[in-house]
C-alpha cells in the first residue's frame, strides 16, 4: 500500500505546525531565493495556475488542533510539517490573488499524530507564522496580505478586481480546507518524467554525436512496465524493416546509450537507475522514491517516428547524473 498520494490543493488552505521558522532552509538556501524561483504553470480543474517550485512537494495530513483563541471551531484542517516550503508557496499564491493557485502535495495516508502533536508549536492553529530573522521577526498571515490595498470596493475596481473574483478565490480556499478526505482533492497531473527532462536537456549533445548519421532521426518512448496499449520496444528485426538505414540507427543508439545509462537523481530525492535491457536499443529504468517505493519503466529507441529531440527547457537541470 502506498504511504501517500499526489494531489493538488491551494497552499492557502494548508496550515503551519510551527510558530516561527528560519529564513533559510537546512542546506543554507534562502527562502526568498526559492520563492522567486516558483513558477506559475497552467492550471486544471478549478485552479487558474499550478505552482511549480524548486523544492520537493510538501507532505500534508488531516488533523485537528484545538484553538485556544476560539477563532476557529475545533475541526480538522490540512497541516504540514514542511513549514518553510509552505511559506514560500503561500507567498506566491498570495502575490497572485485573486487568481486561484494550486500546489502539488503528497497527502499521507497514515502518520503518528502523537509525533505531530510533539512537533506542533503553532499558537494560532497554523493560520500564521513568524520568520525569525537575525535582528527582527516578520509576521506572515496570507489573509492580511491579500486584503492589503483591497479593503474597499473602489480600490478593488481601480485594480481591475471584481467582487466575483474575490468571492470565487475565497470560496476555493474554503472548499479545499473543507475537503476531509484524499479522494475529494484534485488529482495532480502527471509530472514530466526524468527521462523526458534529460533527453531535452541533452539534445545538443545528441545532435553532435550523430552528425555522421546523415539525416537520421529518432524518438524515445517511455512506458509503465505494468501498463497496456501504445507502442512496445522495437526489436532489431523491426528496425531493419524501417526506411532508416541501419548505420544511422546504430549511431543514434550509441548516442542514446552513452547519454542515458547510469543513475540519476530527481528534485524530490528520487533516483532513476537506467541499465541496458536484453532487447536491442531498449533500456530498463527503475525509479525509487525517497520512501523506498520502486517502479519500473521501459525506454526504447524508435526509428520510425522520425522526431528530433526537443529544445532544452529552463527547468531540465533538476536531474543530476551520479554515475
Amino acid at each position: 500500500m502506498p504511504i501517500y498520494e499526489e494531489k493538488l490543493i491551494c497552499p492557502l488552505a494548508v496550515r503551519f505546525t510551527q510558530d516561527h521558522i528560519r529564513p533559510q532552509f537546512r542546506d543554507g538556501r534562502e527562502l526568498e531565493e526559492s520563492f522567486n524561483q516558483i513558477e506559475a504553470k497552467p492550471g486544471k480543474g478549478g485552479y487558474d495556475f499550478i505552482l511549480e517550485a524548486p523544492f520537493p512537494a510538501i507532505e500534508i495530513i488531516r488533523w485537528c488542533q484545538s484553538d485556544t483563541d476560539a477563532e476557529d471551531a475545533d475541526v480538522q484542517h490540512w497541516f504540514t510539517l514542511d513549514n518553510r516550503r509552505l511559506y514560500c508557496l503561500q507567498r506566491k499564491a498570495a502575490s497572485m490573488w485573486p487568481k486561484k493557485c494550486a500546489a502539488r502535495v503528497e497527502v499521507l495516508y497514515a502518520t503518528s499524530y502523537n509525533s505531530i502533536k510533539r512537533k506542533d508549536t503553532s499558537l494560532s492553529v497554523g493560520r500564521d507564522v513568524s520568520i525569525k530573522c537575525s535582528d527582527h521577526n516578520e509576521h506572515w498571515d496570507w489573509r492580511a496580505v491579500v486584503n492589503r490595498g483591497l479593503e474597499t470596493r473602489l480600490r478593488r475596481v481601480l485594480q481591475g478586481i471584481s467582487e466575483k473574483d474575490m468571492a470565487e478565490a475565497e470560496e476555493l480556499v474554503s472548499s479545499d480546507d473543507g475537503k476531509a478526505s484524499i479522494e475529494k482533492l484534485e488529482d495532480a497531473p502527471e509530472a514530466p518524467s526524468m527521462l523526458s527532462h534529460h533527453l531535452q536537456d541533452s539534445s545538443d549533445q545528441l545532435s553532435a554525436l550523430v552528425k555522421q548519421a546523415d539525416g537520421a532521426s529518432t524518438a524515445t518512448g517511455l512506458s509503465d512496465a505494468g501498463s497496456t496499449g501504445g507502442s512496445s520496444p522495437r526489436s532489431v528485426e523491426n528496425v531493419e524493416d524501417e526506411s532508416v538505414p541501419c548505420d544511422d540507427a546504430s549511431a543514434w543508439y550509441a548516442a542514446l546509450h552513452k547519454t542515458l545509462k547510469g543513475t540519476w537523481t530527481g528534485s524530490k530525492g528520487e533516483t532513476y537507475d537506467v541499465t541496458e535491457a536484453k532487447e536491442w536499443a531498449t533500456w530498463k529504468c527503475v525509479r525509487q522514491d525517497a520512501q523506498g517505493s520502486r517502479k519500473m519503466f521501459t525506454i526504447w529507441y524508435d526509428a520510425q517516428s522520425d522526431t528530433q529531440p526537443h529544445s532544452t527547457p529552463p527547468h531540465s537541470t533538476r536531474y543530476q547524473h551520479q554515475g
Side-chain angles (χ1 to χ4, degrees), residues 19-24 30-32 84 87 91 129-140:
D19 179 60
H20 63 269
I21 57 176
R22 296 188 179 277
Q24 303 91 17
E30 297 287 335
L31 302 188
E32 189 71 22
R84 283 170 285 195
Y87 164 72
R91 276 192 59 186
V129 72
S130 294
I131 299 87
K132 198 171 184 179
C133 302
S134 58
D135 56 348
H136 69 286
N137 288 350
E138 297 179 5
H139 180 252
W140 170 258

Side-chain angles (χ1 to χ4, degrees), residues 8-79:
L8 292 179
I9 191 172
C10 178
L12 304 179
V14 182
R15 301 193 175 211
F16 299 97
T17 51
Q18 291 182 350
D19 179 60
H20 63 269
I21 57 176
R22 296 188 179 277
Q24 303 91 17
F25 289 105
R26 291 182 181 178
D27 61 3
R29 287 178 298 125
E30 297 287 335
L31 302 188
E32 189 71 22
E33 177 184 355
S34 294
F35 160 70
N36 290 327
Q37 292 175 348
I38 297 176
E39 299 179 356
K41 301 296 184 180
K44 63 169 292 192
Y47 303 107
D48 298 317
F49 297 99
I50 297 175
L51 303 182
E52 185 174 289
F55 43 71
I58 63 173
E59 296 178 348
I60 67 172
I61 59 165
R62 195 72 178 169
W63 187 50
C64 178
Q65 184 199 70
S66 297
D67 188 2
T68 56
D69 293 334
E71 290 189 28
D72 279 343
D74 289 343
V75 296
Q76 290 189 335
H77 301 282
W78 293 107
F79 287 85

Side-chain angles (χ1 to χ4, degrees), residues 262-282:
T263 301
W264 298 81
T265 301
S267 61
K268 296 182 180 179
E270 77 277 19
T271 60
Y272 301 81
D273 188 25
V274 181
T275 57
E276 189 173 14
K278 292 182 180 180
E279 296 85 357
W280 184 85
T282 305

Side-chain angles (χ1 to χ4, degrees), residues 162-179:
S162 70
E163 299 299 303
K164 180 182 178 182
D165 292 337
M166 295 287 288
E168 288 181 349
E170 291 170 358
E171 172 59 28
L172 177 78
V173 176
S174 177
S175 175
D176 278 2
D177 176 52
K179 293 176 180 177

Side-chain angles (χ1 to χ4, degrees), residues 167-216:
E168 288 181 349
E170 291 170 358
E171 172 59 28
L172 177 78
V173 176
S174 177
S175 175
D176 278 2
D177 176 52
K179 293 176 180 177
S181 65
I182 294 177
E183 292 75 18
K184 292 183 178 180
L185 294 174
E186 182 81 24
D187 289 334
E190 184 177 356
S193 69
M194 180 279 297
L195 293 167
S196 63
H197 279 312
H198 170 61
L199 287 176
Q200 291 176 14
D201 189 40
S202 302
S203 60
D204 291 340
Q205 178 183 358
L206 284 171
S207 297
L209 288 171
V210 297
K211 280 184 178 179
Q212 68 272 27
D214 300 327

